Amino acid sequence: MKILVTGANGFIGHFLIPRLIKSGHEVVATSRNANSKPTGVTTHPIAELGPNTDWDDALSEVEVVIHLAARVHVMSDNCSNPLAEYRRINAEGTAKLAKDAAKAGVSQFIFMSTIKVNGETSGLVPFNAHDIPAPNEPYAIAKLEAEEVLLRTVRYSNMRATIIRPPLVYGPGVKGHFVSLLKICSKGWPLPIDCIDNRRSIIYVGNLVDMVHRLIETPPSTTGVYLCRDPQDVSTPELFQKVSAALGVKPLIIPFPLSLLRLSAAIVGKTAIVSRLTESLYVNDSQTRNDLNWTPPFSMLEGLKETATWFHKRYH
């Protein structure tokens, strides 16, 4: 099967492409970096992801598109109009690819969205695929708009769409806040998080890649939205404990009133970070497991150990 992967040089693409090749698929990729080409694939350079991207060569004889490329979520965005930029790249860019893919005869379009389409916090009830979307920041808003235009496109074509909304994805090569978590845990500093009582879903990149592989090998008969997660959820204190253990560090988690933690965060301008640490964001992925007859093959412990091994080699 010939498969196009966009964002092939990214975090998920780095793990996905070898899995596809190992399964015997012919993989083509697009990249904005002409000097960085994944091994074993045909790479088509593109100038930029957006409403005017030329996909004709990349889509030739392709049966499945896996759309990973995006303007990623950042906490401190220096762009003068972040929403407009997210829309141009993530929403309008996806719209152009979806329309061109349908026209080229692609049978399946797999779109990597985000659980933030559902919202920033789930509260006491886990998110599910049928929740009314409630994005509240530019990245998630644009991802929802991309989902909507994709669904409109497949409604008038023979192409099926599969939308994946993962929570935080971690693994070797991860960037952003998870690397910050690894660095904090590696120091063995006292962590005033003992009073946090929440529930978080995350997913190891190996589990996410396995799910994408299942979607290709046994594609759903209809268009749908799928949530995913590791086999277990964790509270913030539990996550720090597990990450510390994977790093070989004894965690020092101390009691601290939650109200004072939030007040301290407000004083130093870190309210958003503390909110993510203290609030719940977890998912119900039973529909995914039932529809796909799929179970994540890796435990969280296995995923964290692989990530810790990479972290030690990369940062020590």
Side-chain angles (χ1 to χ4, degrees):
M1 186 181 297
K2 190 173 183 179
I3 300 172
L4 167 64
V5 179
T6 72
N9 290 320
F11 172 46
I12 299 172
H14 177 75
F15 288 88
L16 177 61
I17 286 179
R19 177 68 183 274
L20 297 177
I21 293 174
K22 184 178 180 181
S23 296
H25 298 293
E26 178 185 357
V27 180
V28 296
T30 57
S31 174
R32 289 181 298 156
N33 185 353
N35 296 321
S36 179
K37 299 180 180 181
T39 303
V41 307
T42 301
T43 302
H44 297 274
I46 58 172
E48 184 183 34
L49 180 64
N52 300 311
T53 305
D54 183 357
W55 296 102
D56 288 349
D57 289 342
L59 287 168
S60 177
E61 299 182 350
V62 163
E63 297 173 67
V64 176
V65 168
I66 305 173
H67 187 32
L68 306 177
R71 185 176 194 263
V72 297
H73 174 71
V74 292
M75 287 302 297
S76 299
D77 200 328
N78 297 321
C79 178
S80 60
N81 190 341
L83 180 56
E85 193 67 0
Y86 279 120
R87 278 176 166 156
R88 184 180 69 82
I89 297 174
N90 294 353
E92 296 174 27
T94 300
K96 178 63 160 58
L97 175 57
K99 291 174 183 176
D100 288 356
K103 183 178 179 181
V106 169
S107 61
Q108 185 182 16
F109 192 111
I110 299 173
F111 176 58
M112 195 64 66
S113 187
T114 171
I115 195 59
K116 289 179 177 290
V117 165
N118 287 62
E120 287 292 322
T121 61
S122 60
L124 299 177
V125 179
F127 285 138
N128 67 69
H130 302 293
D131 286 335
I132 297 174
N136 61 7
E137 47 88 26
Y139 171 72
I141 291 170
K143 280 290 190 177
L144 174 59
E145 292 174 356
E147 289 184 15
E148 292 171 340
V149 74
L150 174 59
L151 293 176
R152 287 197 298 271
T153 300
V154 299
R155 192 175 299 136
Y156 302 102
S157 75
N158 293 321
M159 184 171 70
R160 297 185 307 277
T162 303
I163 296 167
I164 304 174
R165 294 181 188 164
L168 184 150
V169 184
Y170 69 96
V174 68
K175 299 178 181 180
H177 295 299
F178 206 88
V179 168
S180 298
L181 187 156
L182 288 162
K183 290 179 178 179
I184 291 171
C185 290
S186 70
K187 302 295 184 182
W189 293 336
L191 302 170
I193 59 174
D194 186 61
C195 294
I196 297 175
D197 182 16
N198 64 347
R199 190 170 174 181
R200 308 287 297 192
S201 294
I202 60 177
I203 187 165
Y204 174 50
V205 66
N207 286 331
L208 181 58
V209 163
D210 191 75
M211 177 186 169
V212 174
H213 184 263
R214 175 59 62 91
L215 286 165
I216 295 169
E217 297 299 317
T218 312
S221 58
T222 59
T223 288
V225 175
Y226 292 96
L227 309 188
C228 54
R229 64 182 180 93
D230 274 349
Q232 67 180 114
D233 299 320
V234 288
S235 67
T236 295
E238 288 171 339
L239 179 59
F240 275 84
Q241 289 171 342
K242 290 179 182 296
V243 170
S244 297
L247 290 167
V249 176
K250 185 176 181 179
L252 182 56
I253 295 176
I254 60 177
F256 195 80
L258 191 55
S259 58
L260 289 182
L261 184 62
R262 288 172 172 158
L263 177 60
S264 301
I267 292 172
V268 298
K270 300 295 184 182
T271 300
I273 293 176
V274 170
S275 177
R276 286 199 309 277
L277 288 173
T278 58
E279 301 292 338
S280 292
L281 194 165
Y282 70 113
V283 306
N284 178 352
D285 64 342
S286 58
Q287 178 183 339
T288 301
R289 300 191 188 204
N290 292 334
D291 288 1
L292 304 182
N293 191 25
W294 174 77
T295 301
F298 300 99
S299 69
M300 184 180 293
L301 177 60
E302 291 173 306
L304 290 176
K305 283 184 175 180
E306 288 295 320
T307 308
T309 299
W310 162 82
F311 177 80
H312 282 307
K313 292 179 180 178
R314 174 67 175 78
Y315 292 94
H316 291 83

